[in-house]
Amino acid sequence: MSAPNSDYDPVEVTPLNAAEVERMRDEALAAVANTATVAELKQARLDHAGDRAPLALANREIGALPPQAKKEAGQRVGQARGAINQAIAKRQIELEAAELEATLAAETVDVTIPSDRQARGSRHPITTIQDHVADIFIAMGWEIGEGPEVEAEWLNFDALNLGPDHPARTMQDTFWLSPERAALVLRTHTSPVQARTMLERKPPIYIAVPGRVYRTDEADATHMPIFHQVEGLAIDEGLTMAHLKGTLDHFAQAVYGPGSTTRFRPSYFPFTEPSAEIDLLCYVCANDPAEVASCGTCRGEGWVEWGGCGVVNPRVLVACGVDPERYSGFAFGMGLDRTITSRYDIADLRDLWDGDIRFTEPFGLGL
Amino acid sequence: MKVLVPWLRELVAVPNDVTTEQLADRLTEFDLKLEEILNSGVSGPLTVGRVLSVQPEEQKNGKVINWCRVDVGPEHNDPATETEPAGRGIVCGAHNFVAGDLVVVSLPGTFLPELGFEITARKTYGHVSDGMICSEAELGLGGGDHSGIIVLPADSAQPGDSGIEVLGLGDDVLDLEVNPDRAYALSMRGVARDVALAYGIEFVDPADREVSADGEAYPVRVDDPACSVFVTRVVEGFDSTRPTPAVIARRVEQAGMRSISLAVDISNYVMLELGQPNHAYDADTLNGAIGVRKAVAGEKITTLDDQERTLTPDDLLIVDDEGPIGIAGIMGGARTEISDSTTRIVIEAAHFDPPTIARGSRRHKLVSEASKRFERGVDPQLPARAAQRVAELMVELGGGTILPGLTVVGQAPAARNVTIDQDLPTRVLGIDISAETVVAALEGNGIVVDHDPASGQIVATPPSWRFDINDPYDLVEEVLRVVGYDQVPSVLPKAPGGRGLTRAQELRRRAGIALASFGLTEVTSLPFVGEADFDKLGLDADDARRDAVVLANPLSSEQPSLTTTLLIGLLRSTALNVSRGHDDIALFEVARVFTPKHGGEAPIYGVEQRPTQAQYAALNEALPIQPHHASWVMLGNAVKAGIGTDALAYVWSDALAVAHDLARVLNIELTVESARYAPFHPGRCAALLLNGEVVGHAGELDPRISQAHGLPGRVMAGEINLAALIEAAPAVGEKPNFSAFPVAKEDFAFVAPSDVTAGALSDLIAGAHEFVESVRLFDIYTGDQVEAGKKSLAYKVRLRASDRTLSDADIKTAREAILAQAETLGAVLR
């Protein structure tokens, strides 16, 4: 008598019928979808997914149902609550993202507002061009020589075949230290470093010497009592004037680009024999027939003067202790200040020396 | 050297189709560098005219002008009228001419570059002037007598002749730069020889002439070795009043000299032609034999330029029994000058030692055409031949006779030779040059060559005018200019692998980059300074920086010294930036400063062999000390006021920070101590120490010094011996040493006597215990909360062990050690 009444047809429980579960689910989904803020969503979660939400309450009724109905109702309610929780989680991400977007949008700045909390310094172009030149020669396996700016007369002149009465010695207007018998000068060229290097080291020698030199020129737009040169010296077995040309062409290309080249014109320097002036193919018009005539840089010549060079005079080798029977070499030198003024269209050399920060700033940390 | 092209073409047959420009280019390739091509640029109907009538007319302003009728030749003349013969009417303001004179007329259409415009017929002084009678100045003729118009020698031309042709105004003149080793090219003879070589054409040496000689000419006594040859010739019956032929006068003037008189013009003409300076004396003004000797101190001479000059015992003189008649090789004396009445002439042609002439010319600041040639050297074989040429021209143009005698004292040095291997040019130049080419090139230069093909030896005997050729390489140069400098190929030598920048070079570069990246802008300053600069910097009378290297020949006597401190130049630049409206300025400079050693003199050695190591060391020992310094100046704001940013002014500690940061990039550490040092604020200056040695100073400038330099507000600055820093920089940086165990952060607020420095206390804390990793001062306080005479110093200290996590006991131990150390300075916890 007391066995389960499997034929018992229970009274239908309204909250668990399919239509009602669907309605509660849809109501919950609509509420979640309608939230506009994370706070509203929190409320919707309480209302529709909390302990006292309609579906939670309906869920409690399931236990009273007969097995078959229990299973169906359980599935129905479980699916509905799952859908609601998913919707809430999805909405949570959406709303959080939207709120962050809004916050970030509110933080939008005017990017054209300048920032100069970090003071900006710069290096003088005459320094950086010397570094640049040094790097070119370093890359060729050369080394960088240097020497004092106040120099012994013997090293500045005699050792370089400029004897006491040599005409070239008067051509260079030299600053002498007082008293003159001290035989000290402000070096008139970087060439005493050639002599110093030969006196201090044995060949092979391949050095470039950027540095300051002095002549007694009053300062004006095109003259200064100080300027900068780079000097090159190579002493080795079997070096010829062709190696000089090759080195200069390579140097020209490193500074002025792959198409650059040099040419020699005969000249005279006491420390080289034969000697030549170096002309550089005009870096503006490249001696292009269509442009050269109107070129302001080379004034229609197609070439610009670059420096002087030659085969080291054996007398210099002898004075500096290098055996001229075994070794030969070449030397060259060119001004660096004019390289700056001509490449950057600077009309007045004094601008390099006045120290106006607006002159140096555009060069930044390097050329 | 000015080379008149038509004259050059007369001496050597340059092909007709070679233009002046091509000729100049070719000579430049031959080491005779063109400076410029000179040409008067006069064009149009510049015409010879004969003045037919001169009618003076006084003007209202009192000036008298001449209304002239000038016959300018049938082609240009207006036809005759009832009152006037054929010709043109021209107004002329000059008065140095009369009717019948030959003049030069710029007819309308003539362009005169000197005036910058084309002549037109114009109304003036009540007439239509149909052209202009020209002066030398208007035609751009240099050197001549510029008072009045040109009056041509009678019968030297016809009315209607081209004035451009008659005056040589169409002639090109090459202005050549002559290098010291090409003294021979200071003559038409020398240039013509190179032209012949350049074009491979025959050359006839104008100096190759017979010298007649029979007995002595005029007696000479040479008492000084600086005169190696002295030649005299005598011409008698010369007419000094005869005019110089136009062609000679013109050539003399085109070379940049004045045409003076026939005798003087001939003398100069021969100098231009052959390169031998020579002198003509009025024989009747000479008293006794001509002598050559050094001057006696205080002896005087009035030279041809009418200057009285006081002589020194270094001056070489030409004298007669009465005294000096010339400064040898530089300028003759006025007493024996040729005059209109001179009929007997002694011609001098000599050879002098170049250095003697060079020094004399410099001593008297007197550069003459003669001295220019003698100081570079003149062909010692020339004197007799040049004197012959002068004498012959004088007789030809001025009449009279050459006396048969020839006096020659002394003789030219014997020719010497230089031996080279025939392949030396190839070895030196890197061009394949055959022995035949070498021989031909040398011979083309006038060198006598003895070539032995078997041994390959070439014995070269340079000609007398090539005294510059002494070494094998001198011969290589002569070969190269014939072969062509453009034939040298381009071959990059293979240098053995280098070692890169030296450590010092690398660190100096790094220092410059660092200083710029600290926000400082680099400047370069002139190093010349004077006492006023040191005064302005507020240096005491005995400040070591006043002991500067002094120049014997400074550009300005106000700034005769080389600087001992970069601050002088930097403050100059700072003031310039202030004056140009900059408010925030931060500058640095890296350069050498100079401190004298007050040692002896630098030795001068010979050059025949290398100086010994000791000798080389002696040279260096004589040099001043000249280390690289770095210096910086800052004023205004380090950070400008901006959006969300307050302005941050530079303060004294920023100047120290530069020093510390600079040291850090060189991997070294500086310490500081308070210092009093000009030009700094007496209470805001730090001495910068490296291993206990002062290597610089930094801080705030004394406001009086800033004001003296015109700088507004507070100015921060520093200067450091960069060379000393670089020398001390370790070759390898310190090994990194850190622990991964947790840190313990402890704060300490001490009350310490006022005279305890933050640095001293900090150092004590840092050394108090091995656990102390870092110490950072974060507050200093004086005021109500701290008793008088004391201050509060607050530090953040980080403790860490290398081998374990610190226990409470560990931390306690470290704290106690810190407190104990602090107490030694009287600092106690607050």
Side-chain angles (χ1 to χ4, degrees):
Chain A
M1 264 299 288
S2 63
N5 182 359
S6 58
D7 299 309
Y8 174 70
D9 186 10
V11 178
E12 191 151 298
V13 180
T14 312
L16 290 175
N17 73 33
E20 183 58 17
V21 168
E22 203 170 303
R23 186 197 60 77
M24 286 188 285
R25 185 197 65 192
D26 289 350
E27 187 181 60
L29 290 178
V32 168
N34 280 333
T35 57
T37 65
V38 172
E40 281 176 27
L41 182 63
K42 195 175 174 187
Q43 188 57 50
R45 185 202 304 272
L46 279 176
D47 293 347
H48 299 283
D51 291 347
R52 309 202 60 78
L55 274 168
L57 296 175
N59 199 44
R60 294 186 194 167
E61 307 285 338
I62 293 174
L65 296 179
Q68 183 58 33
K70 192 192 254 179
K71 189 181 170 199
E72 286 171 15
Q75 271 181 6
R76 207 154 44 232
V77 172
Q79 278 172 4
R81 295 179 79 185
I84 292 165
N85 282 332
Q86 250 180 21
I88 289 171
K90 184 162 165 266
R91 188 65 185 154
Q92 177 79 24
I93 290 168
E94 285 170 6
L95 288 175
E96 278 177 358
E99 282 182 14
L100 185 59
E101 282 296 330
T103 307
L104 295 181
E107 287 175 2
T108 298
V109 296
D110 176 354
V111 295
T112 65
I113 290 171
S115 170
D116 46 11
R117 279 197 274 191
Q118 171 71 53
R120 263 150 296 196
S122 34
R123 298 177 78 209
H124 197 279
I126 205 69
T127 312
T128 48
I129 196 173
Q130 291 180 79
D131 287 353
H132 179 52
V133 164
D135 289 343
I136 291 169
F137 283 98
I138 291 281
M140 291 164 69
W142 291 42
E143 291 177 6
I144 305 305
E146 54 189 6
E149 289 169 24
V150 173
E151 186 56 283
E153 178 183 1
W154 188 84
L155 285 162
N156 194 70
F157 292 123
D158 302 66
L160 301 167
N161 195 33
L162 287 125
D165 284 303
H166 203 288
R169 198 144 160 171
T170 59
M171 274 154 55
Q172 298 180 345
D173 297 326
T174 306
F175 282 114
W176 292 84
L177 265 60
S178 180
E180 280 177 71
R181 66 182 146 71
L184 296 173
V185 300
L186 279 170
R187 65 180 182 187
T188 57
H189 43 192
T190 41
S191 309
V193 181
Q194 289 188 15
R196 287 180 167 277
T197 308
M198 286 188 272
L199 287 165
E200 289 168 13
R201 292 173 41 177
K202 297 220 172 312
I205 290 169
Y206 290 82
I207 54 157
V209 186
R212 269 188 182 184
V213 301
Y214 298 77
R215 307 269 170 94
T216 58
D217 284 328
E218 294 281 353
D220 63 27
T222 54
H223 297 87
M224 286 301 293
I226 311 184
F227 50 101
H228 299 80
Q229 289 185 330
V230 59
E231 175 109 6
L233 172 75
I235 304 286
D236 206 342
E237 290 178 4
L239 285 183
T240 72
M241 202 165 181
H243 293 117
L244 167 60
K245 177 86 164 69
T247 301
L248 290 168
D249 283 344
H250 184 86
F251 181 33
Q253 284 158 20
V255 176
Y256 293 98
S260 196
T261 186
T262 61
R263 75 173 181 192
F264 287 157
R265 270 186 295 111
S267 190
Y268 171 81
F269 306 107
F271 27 90
T272 49
E273 185 84 33
S275 303
E277 302 278 347
I278 313 159
D279 285 346
L280 177 72
L281 184 68
C282 179
Y283 45 82
V284 173
C285 71
N287 204 15
D288 183 330
E291 295 175 30
V292 62
S294 60
C295 181
T297 298
C298 63
R299 296 199 180 82
E301 295 288 326
W303 297 82
V304 291
E305 293 187 8
W306 202 26
C309 67
V311 174
V312 177
N313 193 317
R315 288 173 180 239
V316 174
L317 298 181
V318 168
C320 296
V322 174
D323 177 5
E325 297 298 320
R326 179 170 171 199
Y327 293 105
S328 59
F330 60 81
F332 57 87
M334 54 273 294
L336 293 173
D337 307 68
R338 275 169 216 272
T339 305
I340 301 266
T341 53
S342 63
R343 292 213 81 182
Y344 296 93
D345 259 341
I346 296 159
D348 196 325
L349 263 182
R350 287 169 294 195
D351 288 346
L352 269 69
W353 294 93
D354 281 348
D356 191 316
I357 51 183
R358 290 166 301 173
F359 174 80
T360 308
E361 269 177 345
F363 294 100
L365 285 181
L367 292 177
Chain B
M1 170 73 185
K2 292 193 171 62
V3 177
L4 178 64
V5 173
W7 191 1
L8 188 62
R9 286 179 185 268
E10 203 176 285
L11 290 170
V12 59
V14 183
N16 285 329
D17 58 354
V18 173
T19 66
T20 298
E21 287 75 15
Q22 288 167 336
L23 180 61
D25 286 348
R26 188 76 181 116
L27 283 175
T28 296
E29 288 172 2
F30 262 69
D31 201 9
L32 299 179
K33 186 190 175 191
L34 180 73
E35 291 268 307
E36 57 177 333
I37 297 175
L38 305 170
N39 189 298
S40 73
V42 174
S43 62
L46 185 77
T47 307
V48 174
R50 186 180 305 283
V51 180
L52 299 173
S53 62
V54 180
Q55 191 178 330
E57 294 178 357
E58 184 164 346
Q59 304 298 307
K60 283 181 203 141
N61 62 8
K63 187 177 169 183
V64 177
I65 59 102
N66 291 311
W67 173 236
C68 311
R69 189 75 179 172
V70 184
D71 171 9
V72 287
E75 192 191 329
H76 298 294
N77 281 340
D78 291 338
T81 63
E82 286 175 18
T83 52
E84 298 281 5
R88 299 255 189 142
I90 297 173
V91 170
C92 182
H95 299 278
N96 63 324
F97 64 102
V98 295
D101 277 351
L102 277 182
V103 296
V104 183
V105 179
S106 301
L107 291 172
T110 304
F111 178 74
L112 300 181
E114 215 44 47
L115 303 183
F117 56 81
E118 193 177 287
I119 304 297
T120 54
R122 66 188 183 111
K123 231 178 153 169
T124 179
Y125 298 115
H127 299 282
V128 173
S129 184
D130 212 2
M132 185 178 85
I133 303 177
C134 295
S135 69
E136 290 187 328
E138 286 154 354
L139 296 177
L141 293 171
D145 177 2
H146 287 186
S147 62
I149 56 143
I150 300 169
V151 177
L152 297 173
D155 304 325
S156 62
Q158 292 296 319
D161 286 354
S162 161
I164 290 173
E165 265 174 44
V166 169
L167 294 175
L169 292 173
D171 296 345
D172 289 331
V173 175
L174 304 179
D175 193 0
L176 300 179
E177 181 187 320
V178 175
N179 284 325
D181 62 341
R182 305 219 172 268
Y184 66 87
L186 291 171
S187 67
M188 296 301 296
R189 174 200 188 205
V191 176
R193 184 191 314 276
D194 275 3
V195 169
L197 179 59
Y199 286 95
I201 46 185
E202 197 195 348
F203 176 66
V204 179
D205 188 346
D208 273 349
R209 50 182 60 248
E210 285 293 308
V211 176
S212 60
D214 184 5
E216 293 294 314
Y218 195 91
V220 173
R221 207 181 74 227
V222 175
D223 291 323
D224 196 280
C227 173
S228 55
V229 182
F230 201 107
V231 168
T232 58
R233 289 236 57 139
V234 177
V235 168
E236 283 185 347
F238 181 76
D239 179 359
S240 290
T241 64
R242 286 213 207 159
T244 304
V247 66
I248 288 181
R250 203 166 72 220
R251 286 178 178 184
V252 165
E253 298 214 338
Q254 279 169 324
M257 281 175 282
R258 286 172 56 198
S259 167
I260 291 170
S261 67
L262 179 58
V264 174
D265 290 350
I266 288 170
S267 166
N268 285 332
Y269 183 80
V270 172
M271 172 176 69
L272 294 172
E273 181 186 54
L274 302 181
Q276 171 68 54
N278 59 87
H279 193 75
Y281 300 94
D282 182 339
D284 293 326
T285 63
L286 287 175
N287 199 336
I290 291 176
V292 182
R293 63 164 169 82
K294 286 277 165 63
V296 178
E299 214 170 351
K300 289 185 167 60
I301 183 174
T302 300
T303 40
L304 282 172
D305 54 3
D306 288 328
Q307 300 282 313
E308 190 187 67
R309 298 174 189 274
T310 305
L311 303 162
T312 77
D314 292 326
D315 285 316
L316 189 65
L317 295 183
I318 312 297
V319 297
D320 67 2
D321 289 352
E322 268 181 62
I325 56 173
I327 306 177
I330 300 176
M331 191 172 277
R335 172 163 63 84
T336 51
E337 191 178 358
I338 302 288
S339 71
D340 280 355
S341 57
T342 301
T343 59
R344 233 158 50 89
I345 294 176
V346 175
I347 300 159
E348 165 206 317
H351 188 268
F352 301 110
D353 170 50
T356 302
I357 305 305
R359 289 182 213 135
S361 172
R362 255 176 278 158
R363 196 160 43 238
H364 292 289
K365 296 188 171 55
L366 180 57
V367 177
S368 64
E369 292 294 327
S371 74
K372 270 193 251 177
R373 287 170 173 79
F374 277 127
E375 74 172 57
R376 287 163 178 245
V378 173
D379 181 352
Q381 297 284 7
L382 264 181
R385 290 181 288 166
Q388 180 79 20
R389 172 76 168 143
V390 171
E392 284 173 12
L393 271 176
M394 282 184 174
V395 170
E396 181 188 332
L397 302 172
T401 51
I402 307 171
L403 295 197
L406 169 72
T407 296
V408 179
V409 176
Q411 61 180 30
R416 69 252 171 278
N417 57 49
V418 181
T419 303
I420 61 169
D421 283 339
Q422 64 187 26
D423 63 349
L424 182 70
T426 296
R427 275 190 280 129
V428 172
L429 302 174
I431 315 169
D432 276 333
I433 302 171
S434 69
E436 293 69 39
T437 304
V438 172
V439 169
L442 295 179
E443 285 176 343
N445 277 289
I447 296 166
V448 176
V449 175
D450 180 3
H451 179 213
D452 176 10
S455 69
Q457 295 270 293
I458 291 174
V459 180
T461 306
S464 54
W465 61 88
R466 289 309 302 270
F467 34 81
D468 59 288
I469 295 178
N470 296 299
D471 296 328
Y473 279 40
D474 296 332
L475 296 170
V476 172
E477 181 186 6
E478 298 310 313
V479 173
L480 177 58
R481 69 179 187 141
V482 172
V483 172
Y485 279 65
D486 57 349
Q487 296 302 304
V488 177
S490 184
V491 179
L492 189 61
K494 297 251 183 303
R499 285 160 295 186
L501 293 177
T502 64
R503 181 81 176 145
Q505 288 162 352
E506 189 211 326
L507 292 183
R508 206 180 307 130
R509 183 188 290 196
R510 189 193 296 177
I513 295 170
L515 288 164
S517 65
F518 299 161
L520 303 160
T521 295
E522 186 176 24
V523 300
T524 56
S525 309
L526 297 181
F528 306 115
V529 298
E531 284 302 315
D533 294 302
F534 294 132
D535 294 344
K536 204 171 165 186
L537 218 51
L539 303 192
D540 286 343
D542 60 351
D543 192 297
R545 286 167 291 175
R546 284 187 186 267
D547 181 20
V549 170
V550 180
L551 295 174
N553 55 337
L555 286 179
S556 156
S557 57
E558 302 291 304
Q559 296 184 320
S561 305
L562 298 179
T563 198
T564 52
T565 164
L566 299 181
L567 284 173
I568 291 173
L570 267 186
L571 290 174
R572 270 184 217 152
S573 292
T574 309
L576 175 124
N577 280 293
V578 167
S579 75
R580 291 186 179 174
H582 297 285
D583 303 318
D584 306 316
I585 300 164
L587 304 178
F588 81 96
E589 178 165 18
V590 173
R592 289 182 193 273
V593 299
F594 304 86
T595 305
K597 278 196 197 138
H598 302 293
E601 299 153 19
I604 301 278
Y605 305 121
V607 293
E608 296 73 26
Q609 60 184 45
R610 179 198 194 286
T612 63
Q613 284 306 113
Q615 285 176 321
Y616 182 52
L619 284 176
N620 285 321
E621 190 48 44
L623 297 178
I625 303 162
Q626 31 195 329
H628 280 94
H629 275 198
S631 182
W632 53 95
V633 170
M634 297 111 92
L635 68 84
N637 288 325
V639 178
K640 295 185 207 314
I643 311 302
T645 309
D646 290 334
L648 196 58
Y650 282 112
V651 292
W652 65 270
S653 57
D654 292 324
L656 270 67
V658 170
H660 286 302
D661 292 347
L662 177 61
R664 194 175 50 78
V665 300
L666 302 174
N667 303 328
I668 53 180
E669 210 170 317
L670 295 175
T671 57
V672 298
E673 63 186 31
S674 179
R676 292 180 79 108
Y677 193 71
F680 294 97
H681 187 304
R684 296 185 173 184
C685 172
L688 307 168
L689 291 88
L690 174 67
N691 303 327
E693 296 281 326
V694 175
V695 289
H697 290 83
E700 183 173 319
L701 282 195
D702 186 323
R704 291 164 289 194
I705 304 299
S706 314
Q707 201 177 10
H709 286 83
L711 304 178
R714 302 277 177 154
V715 180
M716 314 309 147
E719 177 162 13
I720 199 163
N721 183 335
L722 181 61
L725 299 194
I726 286 171
E727 201 177 323
V732 182
E734 249 178 66
K735 145 175 142 47
N737 187 11
F738 59 90
S739 152
F741 288 96
V743 69
K745 298 175 185 172
E746 298 287 315
D747 285 4
F748 297 84
F750 292 105
V751 174
S754 299
D755 61 350
V756 170
T757 64
L761 187 49
S762 178
D763 287 349
L764 277 183
I765 298 170
H769 196 276
E770 59 170 315
F771 294 156
V772 178
E773 184 181 72
S774 68
V775 182
R776 181 173 170 79
L777 177 73
F778 69 93
D779 193 31
I780 295 183
Y781 175 78
T782 53
D784 296 345
Q785 308 296 315
V786 176
E787 66 182 283
K790 306 251 172 155
K791 63 184 172 188
S792 164
L793 297 161
Y795 294 89
K796 287 187 182 295
V797 177
R798 294 161 67 91
L799 303 172
R800 205 191 304 255
S802 60
D803 55 351
R804 65 182 189 277
T805 300
L806 291 176
S807 66
D808 289 351
D810 287 336
I811 294 170
K812 185 160 178 276
T813 309
R815 277 191 69 93
E816 278 165 4
I818 289 168
L819 296 181
Q821 281 298 316
E823 207 167 346
T824 64
L825 286 176
V828 293
L829 274 185
R830 236 177 124 182

